[in-house]
Amino acid sequence: MKTSSLIFAAAAVGSANAFVSTNGPIQRPAMMPSTTELYGGSSGYATTKEGKLARVATVKGLLENSEMIFSVPASGLTVSEVQSLRKTLPEGSTISVIKNKLMAKAVEDTEFTSAGESLLKGANMWFFVEEDISGTLSTYKAFLKKSAKLATHPVNGGVMEGVAYDESGIDAISKLPSKLELITRVAGGIKAVPTKLARVVNEPGSKLARAIKLATESNEE
């Protein structure tokens, strides 16, 4: 009887040892980089009426501060890729994946209404650009080259001052000087006027210089 008990106990201990590592701490699988697809179904509060209204209000706020908006395909982008892109955008530019129905609602009664006529197809990630259009487009192109997505994620199109543009139109606009650059140029031109005028007036032999001299001498007499 005792022999049977000892044999049973030994068997139980052996079975337990089969689940215990004899080579130190248990090795856990290494964490893999995030490859979660960016575009997925919403859940929870975002799917409620209140959640959708709040989302539309947020997008309207972005539109109010934007000089231009444009979209790119959202499918095939990962969360980590978009986070990386967002960090490199110029100040005043932001990106967001927005459902087409919500975007259509957000652009109603705004200067971006024409976006609903041709750009709300498929899954879209939207760029909201306050001022630096050229810098934003350049940053996105650099991202495409780095991530090897030039062929799959071109600019769909965009809207500026109530007009919808295709990819080539957006690219052409990005090459124009920004408002800040134009203001700087005008300010520089105005600042240069007094200097140029003084140079002309003081230039030896100039008619204006002679006229001023004669007028001064007449007043002195």
Side-chain angles (χ1 to χ4, degrees):
M1 185 69 178
K2 291 182 179 181
T3 301
S4 299
S5 298
L6 290 173
I7 293 173
F8 177 78
V13 172
S15 298
N17 286 338
F19 293 95
V20 179
S21 172
T22 58
N23 298 318
I26 298 175
Q27 298 296 318
R28 301 183 184 279
M31 296 297 291
M32 298 297 291
S34 174
T35 56
T36 305
E37 287 288 329
L38 176 70
Y39 192 80
S42 300
S43 60
Y45 176 73
T47 62
T48 65
K49 182 178 180 180
E50 293 77 11
K52 292 177 180 179
L53 290 174
R55 180 62 169 154
V56 169
T58 298
V59 177
K60 278 187 173 293
L62 292 173
L63 291 171
E64 288 177 1
N65 296 317
S66 297
E67 182 179 358
M68 170 191 275
I69 61 173
F70 66 89
S71 71
V72 302
S75 301
L77 295 175
T78 65
V79 173
S80 59
E81 285 175 335
V82 173
Q83 289 175 340
S84 177
L85 171 60
R86 182 177 284 114
K87 292 178 182 178
T88 60
L89 289 173
E91 184 178 356
S93 295
T94 188
I95 50 179
S96 184
V97 175
I98 305 168
K99 298 284 189 179
N100 289 336
K101 288 184 178 180
L102 298 184
M103 189 64 179
K105 192 71 177 176
V107 298
E108 287 182 357
D109 302 321
T110 73
E111 62 179 297
F112 302 104
T113 305
S114 55
E117 298 173 3
S118 59
L119 299 175
L120 299 182
K121 299 175 182 178
N124 295 294
M125 180 169 72
W126 288 91
F127 285 68
F128 298 86
V129 187
E130 288 187 12
E131 183 176 302
D132 194 352
I133 297 173
S134 177
T136 303
L137 263 295
S138 295
T139 299
Y140 181 61
K141 289 178 181 178
F143 164 77
L144 293 180
K145 290 180 181 179
K146 183 178 179 180
S147 58
K149 296 181 184 295
L150 281 170
T152 58
H153 288 75
V155 172
N156 294 325
V159 180
M160 182 177 180
E161 297 182 350
V163 180
Y165 296 91
D166 59 12
E167 180 186 4
S168 60
I170 295 298
D171 186 61
I173 291 174
S174 71
K175 296 176 182 177
L176 297 175
S178 66
K179 288 183 178 179
L180 180 59
E181 290 173 329
L182 289 174
I183 292 173
T184 301
R185 292 181 185 181
V186 171
I190 294 174
K191 185 178 180 181
V193 169
T195 302
K196 292 180 179 179
L197 180 60
R199 187 169 62 247
V200 170
V201 170
N202 294 320
E203 184 179 351
S206 72
K207 293 182 180 180
L208 182 58
R210 288 198 301 271
I212 293 175
K213 184 179 180 181
L214 290 172
T216 304
E217 291 174 350
S218 298
N219 290 332
E220 289 177 352
E221 293 175 357

